[in-house]
Amino acid sequence: MELKRNWVIKRMDDVAPLQRGFDLPNTQLVKGDYPVVYSNGILNHHISFKIQGPGVVTGRSGTIGKVTFVENAFWPHNTSLWVKDFKNNDPRFVFYLYVFLSLEKFSTGSGVPTLNRNDVHDQLIKIPPTLAEQQAIAKVLSDTDELIQALERKIEKKNLVLDGTTEALLNPDKPNGIRLRGFEKFEWKKTTIGAVAEITTGNKNTQDRVSDGKYPFYVRSQKVERINTYSFDGEGILTAGDGVGTGKVFHYVNGKVDIHQRVYLIYDFKDDIDGYFLYLVFKRNFYNRMMMMTAKSSVDSVRREMIANMEVYVPNSIDEQKAISSSIKDLSNEIESLEKNLSKYKILKQALMQQLLTGKIRLV
């Protein structure tokens, strides 16, 4: 291993050794102020603690790879491993060091994943020789994390606003329903999907996908594949006909696409129906309709009549439909823009970790 300038090479157990957590059965858990850190993070709080903070905790059994930083006193659960001695290293730097190690790669066990701390302790790593440089690195990465967390909170709030707005606009007769200004005098009507649109399925198989294909290829998942052919060119609504995405996967399309044979396409909307408005109504209500039609906890497949006979509530005025669509699209586009920025910040963080935690960029 090449030594990077004046960084030093050490075994991980000489930097921040790990120790198994402490038993705390649910029957002995008493709600309190101290976080209980499990393999997948803080899931509870107890009236007492085992370790004074700050602390770094990761999974020993169950969830492997997640690393949690704890500011104050805490209880590391027996499903976790905690840093028992920082050996004069900066705790937050050690946190990022463990994140950078990608502990999931050390996971063993065919049933419940486990992490052997000795496998981690054997790892040779390079670290800055001074506390000041460790703290400088931790500060940059912490600031980036704060930006990411702020964006995540903003997206969460925007999604709540979107959900509430959609519910209110699509259900004007409910107590919290609202009407857009200028449309109060227009009536709404009940109709069915089959009465206002055509319904069919695609004819392709998943293996027909091409990684760099020219056109979007809609299969039975939220992920959109690619393909070099198209069988539909226009405006439509897509939903999975079977599989794990049944009643949960929806797409609105407008253009050239190809479609899996078990994906339903709703298209050729009547002149008094806005396609995107119908997509919003269908997406919001179809899962509940399916669950009402079965005694099981899940639906294995969708039949055409389940879609065709679905009752929908729509404004008589297509202008009102379009106005509602536009309002919800604006909110959705705002969230999409924030999510793109979030993705960029996450990529930036990974690049910063690669540069800062290997000494390729020096801050001190």
Side-chain angles (χ1 to χ4, degrees):
M1 184 180 293
E2 181 185 356
L3 187 65
K4 183 71 176 178
R5 289 160 68 176
N6 66 330
W7 282 41
V8 293
I9 298 175
K10 290 187 176 183
R11 282 171 52 95
M12 199 64 201
D13 58 354
D14 290 328
V15 176
L18 296 169
Q19 177 69 44
R20 178 178 172 148
F22 304 90
D23 290 345
L24 183 60
N26 286 336
T27 55
Q28 297 178 19
L29 180 69
V30 181
K31 292 294 183 181
D33 296 328
Y34 301 103
V36 182
V37 190
Y38 297 77
S39 64
N40 54 344
I42 298 171
L43 300 179
N44 241 316
H45 287 76
H46 191 47
I47 59 169
S48 62
F49 64 90
K50 284 288 188 181
I51 307 299
Q52 287 283 1
V56 173
V57 185
T58 192
R60 179 191 64 82
S61 175
T63 300
I64 306 300
K66 181 176 176 61
V67 186
T68 302
F69 184 84
V70 191
E71 289 279 3
N72 301 306
F74 64 101
W75 185 300
H77 193 261
N78 70 299
T79 58
S80 73
L81 296 167
W82 58 281
V83 173
K84 66 177 181 179
D85 186 355
F86 288 101
K87 296 183 179 290
N88 297 318
N89 294 297
D90 179 70
R92 198 169 283 277
F93 172 81
V94 169
F95 162 72
Y96 286 112
L97 199 59
Y98 268 115
V99 172
F100 188 62
L101 273 177
S102 300
L103 295 173
E104 59 271 14
K105 68 187 177 188
F106 300 106
S107 175
T108 60
S110 57
V112 178
T114 58
L115 177 65
N116 187 331
R117 58 181 169 169
N118 293 325
D119 294 337
V120 181
H121 289 166
D122 288 341
Q123 298 303 302
L124 294 177
I125 59 165
K126 297 181 291 184
I127 65 169
T130 67
L131 189 62
E133 187 167 3
Q134 292 183 16
Q135 290 172 337
I137 291 170
K139 177 71 165 59
V140 170
L141 294 175
S142 293
D143 288 347
T144 307
D145 268 339
E146 286 179 10
L147 286 172
I148 289 172
Q149 291 161 10
L151 266 176
E152 287 174 337
R153 289 192 296 270
K154 189 171 185 178
I155 290 170
E156 183 179 6
K157 290 179 181 178
K158 291 287 184 181
N159 273 314
L160 289 174
V161 172
L162 174 62
D163 185 67
T165 301
T166 302
E167 177 68 17
L169 287 174
L170 296 185
N171 298 281
D173 293 341
K174 288 186 177 180
N176 294 325
I178 56 175
R179 298 289 299 272
L180 294 177
R181 185 176 299 175
F183 295 102
E184 297 90 342
K185 65 180 181 179
F186 294 100
E187 298 293 328
W188 285 48
K189 65 183 178 183
K190 288 184 178 180
T191 184
T192 62
I193 298 283
V196 298
E198 298 295 324
I199 305 166
T200 188
T201 58
N203 58 11
K204 292 294 189 297
N205 294 308
T206 303
Q207 57 264 36
D208 295 326
R209 63 190 172 192
V210 178
S211 59
D212 58 348
K214 185 176 180 181
Y215 303 104
F217 177 31
Y218 291 89
V219 293
R220 293 166 294 175
S221 72
Q222 206 61 44
K223 181 183 178 182
V224 181
E225 303 286 354
R226 305 297 296 184
I227 199 169
N228 282 326
T229 61
Y230 69 90
S231 57
F232 178 74
D233 182 6
E235 184 183 28
I237 302 164
L238 302 171
T239 191
D242 60 20
V244 295
T246 307
K248 300 174 184 177
V249 173
F250 303 92
H251 299 279
Y252 171 81
V253 298
N254 199 348
K256 296 181 174 69
V257 301
D258 223 330
I259 305 166
H260 189 275
Q261 63 174 332
R262 287 301 296 137
V263 171
Y264 281 96
L265 167 67
I266 305 169
Y267 70 107
D268 194 17
F269 309 109
K270 300 298 183 185
D271 291 342
D272 60 347
I273 294 295
D274 176 67
Y276 192 82
F277 178 86
L278 191 64
Y279 160 74
L280 293 171
V281 175
F282 181 66
K283 178 182 179 181
R284 195 161 189 88
N285 297 297
F286 186 58
Y287 180 79
N288 289 338
R289 170 174 169 76
M290 286 197 317
M291 298 310 296
M292 289 173 60
M293 298 178 71
T294 180
K296 298 189 298 181
S297 60
S298 63
V299 178
D300 298 325
S301 63
V302 176
R303 303 185 304 276
R304 184 185 182 280
E305 59 267 25
M306 294 172 70
I307 298 174
N309 296 336
M310 177 177 167
E311 195 172 74
V312 290
Y313 193 40
V314 301
N316 281 325
S317 166
I318 192 171
D319 290 334
E320 184 174 3
Q321 295 177 36
K322 289 181 176 179
I324 291 171
S325 295
S326 179
S327 297
I328 295 175
K329 273 183 185 177
D330 288 345
L331 285 171
S332 297
N333 290 339
E334 189 176 347
I335 292 170
E336 185 178 344
S337 178
L338 289 172
E339 287 174 338
K340 286 180 180 178
N341 286 337
L342 176 62
S343 179
K344 290 177 183 177
Y345 276 120
K346 287 183 175 180
I347 292 171
L348 171 63
K349 179 190 170 183
Q350 291 302 314
L352 284 172
M353 290 180 69
Q354 181 65 42
Q355 298 294 313
L356 293 173
L357 295 174
T358 58
K360 292 178 182 178
I361 292 179
R362 305 294 295 271
L363 300 176
V364 175

